[in-house]
Amino acid sequence: MIDFRNVKKFYSNGTVALDGVDLHVDDGEFVFIVGHSGAGKSTMMKLLLREEAASSGTITVGDYELTNIKNKDIPYYRRNLGVVFQDFRLFPNKTVYENVAFAMQVVGTPRAMIKRRVPAILTTVNLAEKMKCFPRELSGGEQQRVALARALANNPKMIIADEPTGNIDPKMSIEIMNLLMKINKLGKTVIVVTHEKNLVDYYKQRVVMLKEGRIIEDRVGGMFQ
Amino acid sequence: MKRRYSTRFFLEQAFKGLTRNGVMSVASIAVLMSCLIVLGIFSLLLLNINVNLDKIAELNEIMVYCEYELTEDQIVEVEEKIKSLDNVGKVKRITKAEALQTMIDESGEYADLYSDITPENNPLCDSFEIIYEDMDGTSVYNLESQLWEIEGVRKINTVYKIAKTIDSLKSGVMLVFIWFLVILFIVSIFVIINTIKLAVYSRKSEITVMRYVGATNGFITLPFLFEGVIIGGAASALAFACQSYIYIYIEKMAANEMQMITVLPYTEVWPLLVLGFLAIGILTGVIGSVASLNKYLKY
Ligand SMILES: Nc1ncnc2c1ncn2[C@@H]1O[C@H](COP(=O)(O)OP(=O)(O)OP(=O)(O)O)[C@@H](O)[C@H]1O
Ligand SMILES: [Mg+2]
């Protein structure tokens, strides 16, 4: 469950990135966040990740109240989320397997469990046969699927994707979106920031439109315009 | 579910980091090693200078000359009285016969001049060489006045000025050296900070991803901490090897060619070196790595 209440975000240079956002997302929902460049979409994701703190208002995610979470609890909060970025952010000198395993090592998962789980996740994203490849040997779409696998590694309740298809060609984009839909069907909340009108229209999901830091539209069934 | 972090994982990460920035790692080991060697040379120099100064300072003595006509019993009584005073270290009696002999020995080719002096007409007197312990002015002054009160004392000769000079020289030398050490230490820390900064910078994106998947700050820090320890440990081992070589060489040279100088034996200084180098080396490494990570460890 995600709950934004009158959330404002001012950056230290005076930019008003979010100007009073109210948003409620239930567990298991699929939500597209759309809007022009500079509308505040990435800022919303940063607040969700607690990479930035809100300037005012309250943000609640599950049991966590992000507006007054203790610093030492932040890492543990983040383990409930899986993140995917436009630029993949894979480790170039680690194999596909190691990239996914690393996310599990970071949170102290026992070796035996890592060995069991990584192949299973890679199968979910249809990359089982590329386990030993390095990122440079993969297409953009495949790299993004590795990133998605990594996001899933610690079995988070929620996936946050900031323009996951921004750097890959349209055919591959559909593949990624299909995967995100599949992950949603498995019971995870999925939030996707995107610019791609045709995809948003095609999937007919809930769409939240931001403009100048405010939500100007929030409806189910697509329609970018 | 049981969470377990293996030391092996962190060590692997640390070694990977070190080899990835190979040139910088070698450079920082070299710089820290040089700092440690300079540090070591100065500390050992300081130690040895102090030992030698102490040797000179043993000239902290008061000569007490007895009245000429004292009998043997009376002289022994004077000696007992001197020994009973505070602040008296060693007391050495020099009989008038010994004094005469020393005078003859020191006069070399003019020894003939004393040839007609016999034990009976020896013009010298018995004396005592007193080495005092506490060198400050009042203690020495008190001792002097107590000595004057002893019956049979004719004359007192104090050389405490040398001791005082050496004492202030020692603290002066010490001060300069301590400042030097502090500066060297700071320089080393800056070098390490820069190395680890580079290592951290090259892994900035890695750290970002670690934070996103929920790594704690402790987890992110540990590999860099190990890196700092490895750099510090390697630098101190190398510095110790070089320093030992230099010291043993100097020790031999001093033994052969500069016998008036005392050089502390290597067997006495090496444990100091090992402990000092390891402590400073590893501390510098750790401080460096933690300081350079700080910026990236926001939440
Ligand atoms: N770290 C920052 N410091 C200062 N201003 C920032 C920072 N990050 C974003 N902004 C500003 O906040 C506003 C919203 O930015 P944000 O990145 O949320 O937009 P966006 O909707 O993600 O845009 P895009 O579609 O281009 O990614 C912009 O005006 C941007 O310049
Ligand atoms: Mg953005």
Side-chain angles (χ1 to χ4, degrees):
Chain A
M1 180 269 295
I2 300 171
D3 201 48
F4 277 61
R5 291 254 167 94
N6 194 19
V7 172
K8 296 188 180 178
K9 175 64 187 175
F10 316 117
Y11 284 109
S12 51
N13 63 0
T15 312
V16 181
L18 291 181
D19 191 14
V21 167
D22 285 289
L23 179 71
H24 184 90
V25 177
D26 277 322
D27 284 343
E29 268 196 86
F30 189 110
V31 182
F32 282 120
I33 311 268
V34 299
H36 292 294
S37 182
K41 307 181 295 293
S42 295
T43 300
M44 261 183 92
M45 298 306 107
K46 284 181 194 161
L47 293 180
L48 267 181
L49 278 167
R50 193 45 177 76
E51 195 185 336
E52 296 281 351
S55 308
S56 71
T58 57
I59 302 174
T60 315
V61 180
D63 303 331
Y64 290 92
E65 167 64 75
L66 296 194
T67 9
N68 53 24
I69 188 172
K70 288 196 191 80
N71 275 349
K72 71 170 174 45
D73 291 332
I74 294 173
Y76 300 96
Y77 160 68
R78 290 197 183 124
R79 292 176 191 186
N80 297 306
L81 317 174
V83 212
V84 176
F85 300 95
Q86 181 172 356
D87 55 358
F88 321 137
R89 303 199 190 171
L90 300 175
F91 302 130
N93 48 2
K94 282 181 165 50
T95 63
V96 167
Y97 178 95
E98 288 166 348
N99 263 284
V100 179
F102 186 76
M104 298 173 77
Q105 286 168 330
V106 160
V107 299
T109 312
R111 254 162 211 274
M113 180 173 289
I114 294 177
K115 277 201 182 115
R116 243 183 304 130
R117 215 174 131 67
V118 175
I121 300 169
L122 286 173
T123 308
T124 312
V125 299
N126 306 320
L127 271 181
E129 73 284 4
K130 302 265 174 166
M131 214 141 78
K132 292 200 172 69
C133 294
F134 286 93
R136 63 172 176 280
E137 299 163 339
L138 303 176
S139 72
E142 288 169 329
Q143 289 189 46
Q144 192 59 297
R145 280 188 275 151
V146 178
L148 202 50
R150 180 177 63 194
L152 290 169
N154 292 318
N155 197 18
K157 295 191 188 77
M158 190 193 309
I159 296 286
I160 294 171
D162 193 349
E163 302 193 32
T165 58
N167 277 1
I168 49 191
D169 61 62
K171 208 176 125 252
M172 294 288 192
S173 300
I174 293 184
E175 230 178 82
I176 296 290
M177 282 301 177
N178 281 341
L179 264 177
L180 285 167
M181 291 298 296
K182 179 174 157 190
I183 289 162
N184 176 242
K185 295 267 153 52
L186 293 173
K188 296 188 194 303
T189 312
V190 177
I191 313 245
V192 181
V193 172
T194 188
H195 274 127
E196 303 197 42
K197 308 175 190 208
N198 46 352
L199 282 180
V200 173
D201 284 347
Y202 174 78
Y203 285 101
K204 306 242 181 308
Q205 297 294 323
R206 179 175 173 192
V207 182
V208 171
M209 188 182 279
L210 278 176
K211 190 182 179 187
E212 290 166 5
R214 286 172 205 261
I215 293 179
I216 54 164
E217 226 176 309
D218 183 350
R219 60 171 157 172
V220 181
M223 293 314 291
F224 197 82
Q225 213 291 308
Chain B
M1 182 169 49
K2 196 178 157 232
R3 299 286 187 191
R4 200 169 48 82
Y5 299 103
S6 69
T7 318
R8 206 182 105 194
F9 173 75
F10 292 113
L11 277 176
E12 270 170 23
Q13 296 292 114
F15 273 107
K16 270 185 200 154
L18 282 172
T19 44
R20 201 177 308 165
N21 305 293
V23 178
M24 244 0 252
S25 307
V26 170
S28 58
I29 290 176
V31 173
L32 182 56
M33 182 189 82
S34 317
C35 284
L36 283 175
I37 290 178
V38 177
L39 213 106
I41 289 177
F42 276 94
S43 316
L44 290 179
L45 209 59
L46 179 64
L47 263 176
N48 279 295
I49 286 178
N50 273 347
V51 167
N52 283 286
L53 285 181
D54 280 345
K55 216 174 62 181
I56 299 172
E58 276 179 12
L59 299 176
N60 288 335
E61 58 177 32
I62 299 181
M63 290 299 297
V64 173
Y65 300 94
C66 298
E67 302 276 10
Y68 292 105
E69 12 343 274
L70 295 188
T71 64
E72 178 62 21
D73 284 352
Q74 286 172 312
I75 292 170
V76 171
E77 201 179 318
V78 170
E79 184 171 6
E80 290 309 312
K81 279 181 184 159
I82 291 174
K83 279 182 176 163
S84 72
L85 296 176
D86 287 341
N87 197 17
V88 169
K90 276 182 269 174
V91 178
K92 188 179 158 205
R93 178 175 167 190
I94 299 163
T95 61
K96 58 182 181 180
E98 283 166 349
L100 178 64
Q101 192 53 50
T102 315
M103 211 162 81
I104 293 169
D105 289 348
E106 282 174 358
S107 55
E109 53 183 301
Y110 303 106
D112 291 353
L113 292 175
Y114 306 102
S115 60
D116 54 345
I117 299 179
T118 64
E120 285 70 41
N121 64 6
N122 183 348
L124 302 175
C125 63
D126 277 59
S127 58
F128 294 98
E129 194 182 283
I130 302 167
I131 306 240
Y132 51 83
E133 283 160 350
D134 202 347
M135 296 183 202
D136 76 84
T138 22
S139 313
V140 177
Y141 179 79
N142 284 343
L143 181 60
E144 278 182 309
S145 43
Q146 284 167 330
L147 287 169
W148 274 123
E149 280 167 21
I150 297 172
E151 216 171 305
V153 168
R154 178 176 58 85
K155 192 180 154 201
I156 290 178
N157 217 345
T158 312
V159 284
Y160 66 89
K161 285 211 174 83
I162 297 180
K164 275 180 88 175
T165 315
I166 286 178
D167 227 28
S168 61
L169 195 68
K170 253 171 85 172
S171 47
V173 168
M174 192 75 115
L175 203 70
V176 170
F177 277 107
I178 285 175
W179 274 111
F180 216 91
L181 296 189
V182 168
I183 290 168
L184 275 176
F185 186 63
I186 293 173
V187 168
S188 325
I189 287 187
F190 269 101
V191 171
I192 298 282
I193 286 181
N194 274 314
T195 313
I196 305 232
K197 247 188 198 156
L198 275 176
V200 171
Y201 187 78
S202 71
R203 265 177 286 170
K204 218 173 82 180
S205 60
E206 197 169 320
I207 292 173
T208 316
V209 172
M210 283 167 90
R211 282 179 40 231
Y212 284 141
V213 295
T216 56
N217 278 350
F219 182 90
I220 297 171
T221 314
L222 221 50
F224 294 101
L225 214 63
F226 278 19
E227 240 172 81
V229 171
I230 293 170
I231 289 179
S236 28
L238 290 172
F240 177 69
C242 292
Q243 186 80 82
S244 298
Y245 183 81
I246 297 172
Y247 196 82
I248 291 172
Y249 179 79
I250 290 175
E251 195 187 348
K252 270 196 200 129
M253 203 169 77
N256 296 332
E257 292 160 32
M258 303 178 285
Q259 276 148 359
M260 7 96 73
I261 296 176
T262 309
V263 175
L264 283 170
Y266 176 70
T267 47
E268 250 175 59
V269 297
W270 77 259
L272 266 176
L273 274 183
V274 170
L275 283 181
F277 280 4
L278 273 181
I280 296 174
I282 290 176
L283 191 70
T284 321
V286 167
I287 291 178
S289 52
V290 172
S292 45
L293 256 185
N294 237 346
K295 191 174 131 199
Y296 297 102
L297 288 184
K298 57 162 192 175
Y299 284 93

